[in-house]
Amino acid sequence: MAQLFFRYGAMNSGKSIEILKVAHNYEEQNKAVIIMTSAVDDRDEIGFITSRIGLKRRATPIYEDTDVYELITRIDKKIACVLIDEAQFLRQHHIKELARIVDEINIPVMAFGLKNDFRNELFEGSKYLLLYADKIEEMKTICWFCAKKAIMNLRVHDGHPVYNGEQILIGGNEAYYPVCRKHYLRPPLN
């Protein structure tokens, strides 16, 4: 029976490399997967999943007006799994469409993304995945400044922590650190 999975973690927890690994495992068994990512993430190029260790793969971009359910129903081959990267940037209607894929077409969907933003607010996509997912799993990483588990994302600018501003600012290690609660509140920066 197909299920909707949400695997979340702080920055640098290996979400993108995990999605590439899952795709490889399916494809090694000659099972087709559909790999998608939010079009909001344009760090590398729109429509690509790129891991920090250098692996890169083309993916179907999901725009705000994309109907993911309709897109999947138009594919004329048997799909073993739908894999979604940067799921935090999806909208409520996208999450409901992913649930329809699972419930009506019986295709498992695995969504990967951040749970909370740099202000410790839920992203819209994450909020609805937490509500609709059949299985939720945390992907762990360590704090940038100590050995504790990172549960938050610290935005930095010119060596100083940033706690206010627009929710979405696409960036990597130059803009965000995975941190524990202690170092989110008191980061050892300049």
Side-chain angles (χ1 to χ4, degrees):
M1 180 170 192
Q3 292 186 316
L4 175 57
F5 297 85
F6 180 38
R7 298 191 72 192
Y8 73 89
M11 300 286 290
N12 289 353
S13 61
K15 298 176 297 298
S16 295
I17 192 68
E18 182 68 17
I19 200 169
L20 296 173
K21 182 182 88 172
V22 170
H24 173 77
N25 289 343
Y26 271 101
E27 291 168 340
E28 195 169 44
Q29 298 173 24
N30 294 315
K31 295 175 182 169
V33 297
I34 300 297
I35 302 174
M36 306 179 88
T37 188
S38 170
V40 171
D41 185 358
D42 59 1
R43 259 178 299 186
D44 195 20
E45 289 180 67
I46 292 176
F48 281 89
I49 296 173
T50 305
S51 74
R52 294 184 197 285
I53 64 170
L55 297 177
K56 180 177 178 177
R57 180 152 177 191
R58 184 171 296 282
T60 302
I62 301 172
Y63 295 92
E64 188 158 344
D65 63 349
T66 300
D67 183 329
V68 182
Y69 178 83
E70 181 64 30
L71 194 148
I72 296 300
T73 60
R74 288 194 317 251
I75 296 171
D76 63 355
K77 63 181 173 181
K78 181 171 173 42
I79 305 301
C81 188
V82 176
L83 302 166
I84 313 284
D85 199 20
E86 303 294 351
Q88 72 272 8
F89 297 138
L90 301 182
R91 299 292 183 200
Q92 179 182 10
H93 73 91
H94 294 126
I95 306 310
K96 289 181 176 181
E97 292 158 11
L98 297 178
R100 281 186 70 200
I101 292 166
V102 170
D103 297 340
E104 296 176 20
I105 311 174
N106 200 35
I107 297 174
V109 175
M110 297 181 73
F112 294 76
L114 299 171
K115 180 181 67 170
N116 44 303
D117 66 18
F118 76 103
R119 300 171 299 185
N120 284 317
E121 300 289 336
L122 291 175
F123 284 98
E124 182 176 344
S126 303
K127 172 184 174 181
Y128 288 101
L129 279 163
L130 288 168
L131 291 171
Y132 284 89
D134 299 298
K135 291 197 175 169
I136 300 166
E137 181 181 334
E138 180 182 24
M139 296 180 68
K140 297 171 182 69
T141 192
I142 58 171
C143 176
W144 194 265
F145 304 108
C146 72
K148 288 183 182 177
K149 181 174 82 167
I151 59 171
M152 299 177 181
N153 303 297
L154 178 67
R155 184 183 285 177
V156 294
H157 180 72
D158 290 334
H160 299 286
V162 177
Y163 299 104
N164 296 301
E166 291 295 317
Q167 182 180 47
I168 298 173
L169 171 73
I170 303 300
N173 292 343
E174 79 288 350
Y176 295 97
Y177 297 143
V179 293
C180 65
R181 183 177 45 250
K182 173 184 173 182
H183 286 119
Y184 175 81
L185 299 170
R186 292 177 297 288
L189 298 169
N190 297 339

